[in-house]
């Protein structure tokens, strides 16, 4: 057996059973991949994946063939029978991989099994080139559904080219499901007022991407908001009357309000026709039988136009009746409904009403989450998929520790409670400022733990393996340095948005925003009682910044640590040969340095810090900082364009410009 301490390669997800020999195997300079026709890979994509990686790693060109009349140093085949069981007792996705002097054989129990084995071999070729280790692997996933959920609606719409790159990466790490989240960013017929200016995805995009994913063994599942999160639609002239609070439709745009309000008024008979139209037109573009109607965070349900009906039947019944009707509508068309489980878990009586073919998507994002909610659904006998998160939202740098703790924990709970799988979520709240490439470590955490939730993989070990496999970093330090950099985020994009949006656009305090900030929410009512007046913007911002005083004190030290991370990561990135990720990481780190400095400046402006204790900070620096922000924003735009359509980039730019203007204002 090769020593783990001397091995310079890794496999993700880590195989369940692997025996590594003493010898090595040299790939021939003119070899062939023989892929059995029985695999069902019509375009021989799996063979082409291997040939492409061999060419990239060794510079040599290999042939592809099928049939027993043709030899192949690499052989891909379907087993005639199968006796290797995965951890949950099934065999779907299972494979064996043998590398010895006679050649390389991948045997799968089905197409997915062969695909999974090919991805393991691709990882080995990428790290070892033409000289591979002798080994035997017998491997299978614990979770039959290993999904990824990508937000494509809250500000950032990916390009089709980037979506294909992302699907390629999901395939490499053995994911078999992908969902794209849509609120208003799809070009539905008759809804141009809703999707205009958002760079919407189109039916042609969807059909092409659905086929692309299917070829990779990835099920593309439609996911569209049909109940809550109708912020854009319910602000239009044509649809606002379907919302709980149509009178709020003309309020100024707010990132924070977009996350909390504009629920469909399901007491209105027209609401179901609206939702059914979305469902019926969207589902026809997908080969998947699954459909995610979302139905989460219906914050306004029973509070506005539907209040009278909610008082008559109860909020839980109102919710359950509408969701049940949508599920029945899908079931009649041979579809399997999914929806987010937050409301049903808050009102457990809803769980008892779910049809048998409905799957609850049980999301929990706390790093220290318990298994209580997962146990609750399991005990109710409902089908569920557990859903942790990559922890990238509202921030330039990913919170890698939080992602690891959350994903590893939720995966184990799901396994213990018999969940049908895991869906790792990647959200883009507050304009989707987070570059999607920053989610890669969290995505790979999900790949590891969906494959083997019971494993004892340590975080640092997994960070090293990701550095080697994904980034080609021989030092195995890249992801750990990215993690260390993210820990220096003191004043984040979220705090900046909160600070700016406390002004409702007319100079008054936006109480809806203030209610989302813990240090202000409890004070709003007390302030009105004490003073007889609503809290002013200045008072709200003062209180917010003073509440952050202890945190703000960390900024000079945090920025020194962040700058050191940038120094340490630069030579590693230079040798990785991936300028795209190098630029994305650099822009994210530079942006966080500036955000920290903005927080420091605002704290001083609100007398949270004494002027004599400001170090290098003086009022004259604020204008220079404003100019730095604006220059950084231009570089950020270029990186945005590398992965995404224009969509709502202008909202991020406007936020940065407001921050720059605020710095200039306080410098006077």
């Amino acid at each position: 057996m090769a020593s783990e301490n001397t091995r310079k390669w890794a496999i993700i997800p880590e195989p369940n059973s692997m025996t590594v020999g003493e010898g090595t195997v040299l790939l021939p300079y003119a070899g062939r991949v023989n892929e059995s026709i029985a695999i069902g890979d019509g375009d021989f994509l799996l063979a082409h994946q291997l040939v492409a990686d061999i060419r990239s790693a060794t510079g040599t060109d290999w042939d592809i063939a099928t049939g027993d009349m043709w030899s192949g140093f690499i052989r891909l085949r379907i087993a005639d029978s199968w006796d290797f069981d995965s951890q949950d007792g099934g065999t779907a996705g299972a494979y064996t991989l043998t590398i010895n002097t006679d050649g390389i054989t991948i045997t799968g129990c089905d197409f997915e099994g062969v695909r999974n084995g090919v991805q393991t071999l691709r990882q080995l070729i990428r790290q070892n080139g033409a000289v591979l280790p002798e080994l035997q692997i017998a491997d299978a996933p614990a979770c039959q559904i290993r999904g990824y959920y990508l937000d494509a609606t809250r500000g950032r719409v990916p390009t089709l080219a980037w979506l294909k790159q992302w699907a390629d990466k999901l395939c490499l790490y053995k994911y078999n499901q992908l969902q794209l989240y849509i609120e208003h960013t799809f070009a539905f017929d008759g809804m141009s007022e809703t999707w205009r200016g958002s760079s919407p995805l189109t039916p042609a995009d969807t059909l092409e991407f659905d086929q692309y994913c299917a070829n990779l063994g990835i099920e593309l599942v439609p996911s569209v908001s049909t109940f809550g999160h109708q912020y854009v639609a319910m602000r239009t002239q044509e649809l606002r009357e379907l919302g709980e609070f149509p009178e709020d439709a003309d309020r100024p745009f707010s990132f924070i309000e977009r996350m909390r309000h504009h629920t469909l008024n399901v007491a209105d008979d027209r609401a179901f026709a609206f939702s059914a139209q979305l469902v019926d037109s969207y589902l026809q573009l997908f080969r998947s039988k699954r459909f995610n109607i979302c139905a989460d965070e219906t914050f306004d349900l029973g509070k506005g136009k539907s209040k009278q009906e909610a008082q008559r039947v109860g909020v839980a019944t109102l919710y359950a009746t509408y969701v049940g009707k949508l599920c029945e509508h899908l079931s009649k068309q041979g579809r399997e409904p999914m929806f987010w489980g937050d409301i049903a878990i808050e009102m457990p009586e809803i769980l008892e009403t779910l049809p048998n073919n409905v799957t609850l998507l049980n999301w929990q994002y706390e790093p220290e989450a318990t298994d209580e909610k997962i146990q609750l659904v399991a005990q109710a006998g409902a089908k569920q998929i557990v859903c942790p998160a990559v922890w990238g939202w509202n921030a330039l740098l990913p919170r890698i520790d939080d992602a690891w703790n959350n994903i590893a924990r939720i995966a184990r709970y799901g396994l213990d409670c018999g969940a049908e799988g895991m869906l790792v979520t990647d959200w883009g709240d507050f304009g989707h400022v987070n570059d999607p490439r920053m989610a890669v470590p969290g995505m790979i955490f999900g790949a590891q733990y969906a494959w083997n939730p019971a494993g004892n993989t340590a975080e640092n070990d997994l960070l090293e393996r990701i550095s080697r496999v994904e980034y080609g970093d021989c030092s195995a330090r890249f992801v750990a340095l990215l993690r260390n950099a993210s820990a220096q985020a003191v004043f984040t994009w979220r705090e900046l948005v909160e600070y700016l949006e406390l002004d409702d656009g007319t100079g008054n305090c936006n109480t809806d925003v203030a209610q989302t900030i813990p240090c202000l929410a409890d004070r709003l009512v007390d302030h009105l009682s004490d003073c007889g007046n609503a809290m002013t913007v200045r008072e709200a911002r003062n209180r917010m910044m003073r509440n952050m005083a202890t945190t703000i004190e960390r900024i000079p030290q945090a920025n020194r640590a962040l700058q050191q991370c940038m120094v340490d990561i630069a030579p590693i990135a230079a040798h990785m040969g991936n300028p795209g990720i190098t630029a994305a990481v650099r822009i994210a780190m530079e942006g966080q340095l500036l955000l920290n400095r903005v927080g420091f400046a605002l704290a001083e402006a609100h007398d949270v810090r004494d002027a004599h204790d400001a170090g290098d900070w003086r009022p004259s620096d604020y204008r220079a900082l404003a100019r730095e922000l604006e220059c950084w924003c231009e570089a950020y735009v270029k990186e945005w364009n590398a992965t995404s359509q224009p969509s709502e980039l202008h909202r991020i730019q406007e936020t940065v410009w407001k921050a720059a203007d605020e710095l200039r204002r306080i410098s006077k």
Side-chain angles (χ1 to χ4, degrees):
M1 288 286 292
S3 169
E4 291 288 343
N5 295 326
T6 60
R7 183 183 299 161
K8 299 300 182 184
W9 52 267
I11 299 169
I12 306 173
E14 193 170 14
N16 294 310
S17 173
M18 180 169 65
T19 302
V20 181
E22 295 289 342
T24 57
V25 174
L26 179 65
L27 293 177
Y29 67 87
R32 178 183 293 135
V33 179
N34 185 303
E35 180 178 351
S36 170
I37 197 74
I39 293 170
D41 178 16
D43 294 328
F44 297 97
L45 174 69
L46 300 178
H48 282 291
Q49 285 182 328
L50 289 169
V51 167
D53 278 325
I54 291 169
R55 182 185 302 114
S56 178
T58 71
T60 59
D61 287 312
W62 276 39
D63 190 18
I64 293 172
T66 190
D68 57 13
M69 295 297 293
W70 297 93
S71 63
F73 192 80
I74 298 177
R75 299 172 293 275
L76 312 181
R77 66 187 189 90
I78 291 284
D80 295 328
S81 61
W82 195 265
D83 58 7
F84 175 70
D85 289 339
S86 64
Q87 294 178 12
D88 66 353
T91 58
Y95 72 93
T96 60
L97 167 62
T98 302
I99 303 176
N100 57 37
T101 54
D102 293 330
I104 301 171
T105 301
I106 295 173
T107 304
C109 69
D110 52 14
F111 166 80
E112 185 178 341
V114 178
R115 183 204 72 148
N116 292 337
V118 167
Q119 307 318 307
T120 296
L121 181 56
R122 292 176 67 202
Q123 292 182 20
L124 290 170
I125 291 169
R126 290 182 175 197
Q127 295 169 81
N128 295 284
V131 182
L132 301 180
E134 283 190 331
L135 54 72
Q136 289 184 316
I137 291 174
D139 202 10
C143 296
Q144 291 304 302
I145 295 175
R146 303 178 303 283
Y148 196 85
Y149 193 85
L150 181 64
D151 185 345
T153 202
R154 289 177 178 166
R156 185 188 292 266
V157 177
T159 64
L160 183 58
W162 186 83
L163 284 173
K164 290 179 178 179
Q165 293 175 29
W166 191 250
D168 289 336
K169 203 173 291 295
L170 293 177
C171 175
L172 181 64
Y173 295 105
K174 305 183 178 71
Y175 278 86
N176 61 6
Q177 188 182 110
L178 171 62
Q179 298 190 27
L180 295 183
Y181 175 55
I182 299 297
E183 289 174 9
H184 65 287
T185 53
F186 195 83
F188 289 106
D189 283 350
M191 293 184 62
S192 56
E193 189 189 2
T194 299
W195 50 254
R196 66 188 185 188
S198 69
S199 307
L201 294 168
T202 67
D205 295 331
T206 304
L207 291 171
E208 184 175 342
F209 190 49
D210 186 62
Q211 181 65 59
Y212 192 86
C213 288
N215 291 344
L216 293 170
I218 295 172
E219 178 186 15
L220 186 64
V221 175
S223 174
V224 61
S225 271
T226 59
F227 198 163
H229 290 297
Q230 294 289 345
Y231 184 74
V232 177
M234 296 302 106
R235 285 164 57 86
T236 64
Q237 295 292 332
E238 293 189 16
L239 295 173
R240 63 177 59 191
E241 289 303 319
L242 296 183
E244 285 278 9
F245 293 103
E247 63 271 21
D248 290 342
D250 292 322
R251 287 168 61 94
F253 176 88
S254 163
F255 283 134
I256 294 173
E257 287 189 42
R258 174 151 81 179
M259 299 303 302
R260 296 183 58 82
H261 294 297
H262 297 274
T263 300
L264 196 63
N265 169 24
V266 296
D268 189 323
D269 292 339
R270 296 172 297 173
F272 182 77
F274 168 74
S275 297
Q277 179 185 357
L278 295 178
V279 168
D280 292 349
S281 55
Y282 205 41
L283 66 80
Q284 293 179 355
L285 305 174
F286 297 80
R287 68 193 64 204
S288 173
K289 293 300 183 183
R290 296 182 174 93
F291 196 108
N292 180 3
I293 61 172
C294 296
D296 58 316
E297 296 185 329
T298 51
F299 296 117
D300 293 334
L301 181 63
K303 297 178 181 178
K305 290 283 189 178
S306 70
K307 185 175 182 178
Q308 184 175 353
E309 181 66 10
Q311 290 174 338
R312 187 179 72 84
V313 302
V315 174
T317 298
L318 189 62
Y319 178 89
T321 300
Y322 194 75
V323 170
K325 191 176 179 181
L326 277 175
C327 290
E328 182 182 6
H329 182 74
L330 278 162
S331 298
K332 287 179 179 178
Q333 300 180 70
R335 306 287 169 151
E336 300 172 17
M338 295 175 158
F339 69 95
W340 298 108
D342 52 309
I343 305 301
I345 289 170
E346 288 176 8
M347 297 179 278
E349 61 267 35
I350 295 173
L351 294 174
E352 301 174 3
T353 69
L354 295 180
N356 293 332
N357 68 333
V358 172
T359 300
L360 206 71
L361 301 174
N362 196 347
W363 61 270
Q364 286 182 268
Y365 302 149
E366 301 87 353
E368 304 300 325
T370 69
D371 66 349
E372 181 180 358
K373 293 180 179 179
I374 297 172
Q375 289 276 12
L376 177 67
V377 176
Q379 290 166 4
K383 295 195 299 184
Q384 66 176 319
I385 291 174
V386 294
C387 307
V390 300
W391 272 87
W393 63 85
N394 299 344
L396 293 171
L397 291 165
R399 288 153 293 206
I400 290 176
D401 281 342
D402 289 338
W404 182 79
N405 279 303
N406 177 231
I407 291 170
R409 190 181 299 264
I410 295 299
R412 288 194 295 271
Y413 297 157
L415 180 68
D416 292 343
C417 293
E420 296 196 335
M422 185 162 80
L423 183 67
V424 181
T425 62
D426 181 359
W427 297 101
D429 307 3
F430 291 19
H432 211 142
V433 72
N434 41 310
D435 189 305
R437 292 169 290 189
M438 296 293 100
V440 169
M443 179 272 285
I444 299 178
F445 291 164
Q448 173 62 52
Y449 288 104
W451 193 270
N452 184 9
N456 294 316
T457 303
E459 181 183 8
N460 287 336
D461 174 62
L462 190 48
L463 297 186
E464 290 180 2
R465 291 199 284 131
I466 295 171
S467 295
R468 291 186 186 279
V469 177
E470 171 61 23
Y471 297 107
D473 169 26
C474 294
S475 75
R477 298 177 60 217
F478 180 79
V479 183
L481 286 169
L482 183 60
R483 186 235 352 234
N484 295 346
S486 70
Q488 312 313 319
V490 178
F491 192 80
T492 68
W493 180 255
R494 180 189 184 99
E495 279 83 38
L496 179 63
V497 169
E498 289 175 339
Y499 181 91
L500 295 174
E501 289 198 358
L502 280 170
D503 187 333
D504 68 0
T506 66
N508 296 315
C509 178
N510 188 324
T511 55
D512 277 345
V513 170
Q515 287 170 359
T516 70
I517 304 173
C519 68
L520 298 179
D522 295 338
R523 182 60 183 149
L524 285 173
V525 176
D526 294 339
H527 189 279
L528 187 62
S529 300
D530 294 344
C531 306
N533 298 309
M535 189 179 292
T536 67
V537 176
R538 177 72 184 181
E539 289 167 334
R541 287 176 170 175
N542 273 338
R543 189 170 185 84
M544 174 185 171
M545 296 310 297
R546 290 185 179 280
N547 188 67
M548 293 187 68
T550 303
T551 305
I552 294 291
E553 293 295 327
R554 287 187 49 231
I555 286 177
Q557 179 184 355
N559 271 13
R560 286 192 294 270
L562 183 50
Q563 287 170 328
Q564 187 60 52
C565 285
M566 293 170 67
V567 169
D568 292 340
I569 211 168
I572 295 172
H575 287 89
M576 292 189 328
N578 189 338
I581 192 63
T582 299
V585 168
R586 176 65 186 274
I587 293 301
M589 289 184 175
E590 291 282 4
Q592 187 55 59
L593 281 170
L594 289 169
L595 283 174
N596 282 350
R597 291 170 59 192
V598 169
F600 202 88
L602 294 176
E604 184 179 312
H606 287 275
D607 300 321
V608 174
R609 296 186 53 81
D610 294 331
H612 74 272
D613 191 33
D616 295 334
W617 285 95
R618 295 292 182 268
S620 60
D621 293 322
Y622 297 165
R623 292 185 179 183
L625 178 56
R627 291 192 292 271
E628 288 185 66
L629 269 178
E630 289 158 345
C631 290
W632 171 84
C633 191
E634 291 305 300
Y636 175 86
V637 167
K638 293 179 181 178
E639 288 311 307
W640 175 287
N641 292 335
T643 65
S644 308
Q645 301 280 2
S647 33
E648 295 182 44
L649 171 61
H650 66 94
R651 298 197 190 280
I652 290 177
Q653 292 173 297
E654 289 162 4
T655 300
V656 173
W657 299 337
K658 284 181 183 178
D661 291 345
E662 183 68 13
L663 289 168
R664 291 187 174 98
R665 186 189 67 77
I666 64 178
S667 71
K668 296 178 181 179

